[in-house]
Amino acid sequence: MSIETLTQFLAPTYENFPKGRTIGMVVLRKTQSELILRTEGSGEPMCSEFVQAGFQHKNSLQRLVMTKRKQVAPERRFGREQLRGFELLYPNKDGAVCSLNTNAPCEMCIDCFLYGFAAGGGGAQKSRVWTEDAFSLLPTSETVAERTINAIFETGTMRDENGKASTALNTSEYIKPGVHFLDVVTLKDMTADEMRYVLGNILMTPRYGAVSSRIGRMENQILGIFGGITELPSSLELVQSLYDALIEANTPLEHPFDTDLLVEMTKGAIATWTNRRGISRQLTEEQLTDVIADVDRHWDGERETFLKRLDRSYETFRKPPAKASSSRKGKKNAEPVTPEG
């Protein structure tokens, strides 16, 4: 068995109109190095919110937040790297290759069809990858620390040859290695290949947050996959239910938290979700393993074939951007589009 186990909740082909087929996934994100998640510039505190600790324990608790933008942006960039490698990104209305944050999407590539776009001159695609803020299990008091950063001169001191003190001295917050975030991702009306693409982006994106060329390593693990007609409970509800269970079991809420225990307790908590309205099926452990193996196989030896097959699946739905009606035709007959640097 592989991803076809979920056929009932997958679309046979891409369609413009939704039909209520929903795949829900529970993702455990664990930091493997220091990590910086903030919405403003240097010196701002980590993203966090005061929330109710649990359902039974209603005290206020400050938890770290990994916002949806901090999750999706690096995962999209990973996927787009692969598309660019096989020249599967298309020219936009200006003739430039499709790129994020340019307000000029190509409206035709796999990324545009899956994660959506809104073109200023007309044309829009709603994202079919629905995310939400992920919350840390432990409070910020256990998961955040401060580090002082300095840059010394070649003399090995903080003063130059003229005796002037260096200004390269700064104290910044960071999230400790080994911190867990729990996350719920929803896929709407996706085909099997589209699901493989999104899952691959989640499982193979290695870094998140700021200064990712040096820090920000993170490992993502899929703990559960569900099929139904509506979304799963939220990531905050999941964290709150775990908090209640941990308090009841007298488990210390200390960093570093035991990952194996967290995985076991999370799987126990989500095992009851199929009893909720609109969630009709959860993959067994064996089926979940098979689906992950299916994704690995498609992204490994079959990557080029898989990505080009997914790209062809949109062929009859593609509409070139308004001011570049001849660019798609030109892509086939003219020189290949030069990938971005």
Side-chain angles (χ1 to χ4, degrees), residues 6 19 42 55-56 70 114 140 144 178 206 248 292 331:
L6 295 162
K19 291 187 175 177
S42 176
F55 292 111
Q56 304 300 322
K70 298 295 183 186
L114 273 171
T140 57
V144 173
E248 186 175 344
I292 302 302
K331 183 178 187 300

Side-chain angles (χ1 to χ4, degrees), residues 63 69 84 89 107 111 121-122 276 284 290 292 304 317:
R63 287 192 163 105
R69 291 177 61 86
R84 188 176 297 111
L89 295 176
E107 310 175 30
D111 182 84
R276 291 176 180 245
T284 64
D290 288 345
I292 302 302
E304 182 174 1
F317 298 95

Side-chain angles (χ1 to χ4, degrees), residues 3 25 74-86 88-89 110-111 114-115 187 190-206 290-311 314:
I3 211 163
M25 299 187 295
E75 290 162 6
R76 289 184 70 176
R77 284 197 292 268
F78 172 84
R80 294 174 68 89
E81 288 176 4
Q82 313 306 313
L83 300 182
R84 188 176 297 111
F86 295 111
L88 296 177
L89 295 176
I110 294 171
D111 182 84
L114 273 171
Y115 292 92
L187 310 181
M190 286 203 176
T191 66
D193 275 347
E194 288 177 328
M195 181 177 172
R196 292 182 179 108
Y197 181 81
V198 175
L199 264 173
N201 287 350
I202 294 173
L203 292 172
M204 286 180 272
T205 297
D290 288 345
V291 167
I292 302 302
D294 179 301
V295 172
D296 287 341
R297 185 174 67 254
H298 279 79
W299 274 95
D300 189 9
E302 304 174 22
R303 183 177 43 157
E304 182 174 1
T305 302
F306 154 59
L307 291 177
K308 290 185 174 179
R309 182 177 70 219
L310 177 55
D311 178 72
Y314 303 120

Side-chain angles (χ1 to χ4, degrees), residues 242-264:
L242 286 171
Y243 181 89
D244 286 340
L246 291 167
I247 294 297
E248 186 175 344
N250 292 319
T251 305
L253 293 172
E254 299 174 345
H255 179 80
F257 195 83
D258 186 340
T259 301
D260 291 338
L261 175 61
L262 177 59
V263 169
E264 179 185 348

Side-chain angles (χ1 to χ4, degrees), residues 89-316:
L89 295 176
Y90 291 77
N92 62 21
K93 63 182 180 181
D94 301 321
V97 177
C98 184
S99 182
L100 292 177
N101 299 327
T102 60
N103 199 30
C106 70
E107 310 175 30
M108 295 186 286
C109 68
I110 294 171
D111 182 84
C112 284
F113 270 93
L114 273 171
Y115 292 92
F117 62 87
Q125 168 75 45
K126 186 178 177 64
S127 175
R128 289 178 289 134
V129 183
W130 291 10
T131 59
E132 56 182 278
D133 292 345
F135 290 86
S136 64
L137 175 67
L138 300 180
T140 57
S141 58
E142 289 288 329
T143 52
V144 173
E146 286 188 351
R147 188 177 299 286
T148 299
I149 304 168
N150 64 353
I152 60 176
F153 292 102
E154 287 196 40
T155 58
T157 71
M158 290 295 291
R159 292 186 179 275
D160 63 15
E161 294 179 348
N162 299 319
K164 186 177 180 181
S166 171
T167 59
L169 180 65
N170 183 39
T171 299
S172 179
E173 284 188 334
Y174 68 92
I175 299 170
K176 300 175 183 177
V179 172
H180 303 95
F181 291 85
L182 283 164
D183 189 19
V184 174
V185 178
T186 303
L187 310 181
K188 287 281 293 180
D189 291 291
M190 286 203 176
T191 66
D193 275 347
E194 288 177 328
M195 181 177 172
R196 292 182 179 108
Y197 181 81
V198 175
L199 264 173
N201 287 350
I202 294 173
L203 292 172
M204 286 180 272
T205 297
R207 292 175 186 257
Y208 295 80
V211 208
S212 58
S213 61
R214 284 167 280 176
I215 59 176
R217 289 297 300 266
M218 179 171 281
E219 180 184 17
N220 297 323
Q221 182 180 357
I222 308 296
L223 299 186
I225 297 181
F226 296 78
I229 60 173
T230 189
E231 291 186 79
L232 300 175
S234 69
S235 58
L236 180 57
E237 289 177 280
L238 175 57
V239 168
Q240 288 172 327
S241 65
L242 286 171
Y243 181 89
D244 286 340
L246 291 167
I247 294 297
E248 186 175 344
N250 292 319
T251 305
L253 293 172
E254 299 174 345
H255 179 80
F257 195 83
D258 186 340
T259 301
D260 291 338
L261 175 61
L262 177 59
V263 169
E264 179 185 348
M265 296 193 70
T266 303
K267 290 185 175 182
I270 65 178
T272 62
W273 282 3
T274 50
N275 297 326
R276 291 176 180 245
R277 183 180 302 167
I279 305 168
S280 55
R281 180 167 185 177
Q282 179 184 7
L283 295 189
T284 64
E285 281 296 307
E286 182 180 1
Q287 291 169 335
L288 177 61
T289 301
D290 288 345
V291 167
I292 302 302
D294 179 301
V295 172
D296 287 341
R297 185 174 67 254
H298 279 79
W299 274 95
D300 189 9
E302 304 174 22
R303 183 177 43 157
E304 182 174 1
T305 302
F306 154 59
L307 291 177
K308 290 185 174 179
R309 182 177 70 219
L310 177 55
D311 178 72
R312 287 195 300 273
S313 71
Y314 303 120
E315 195 62 43
T316 58

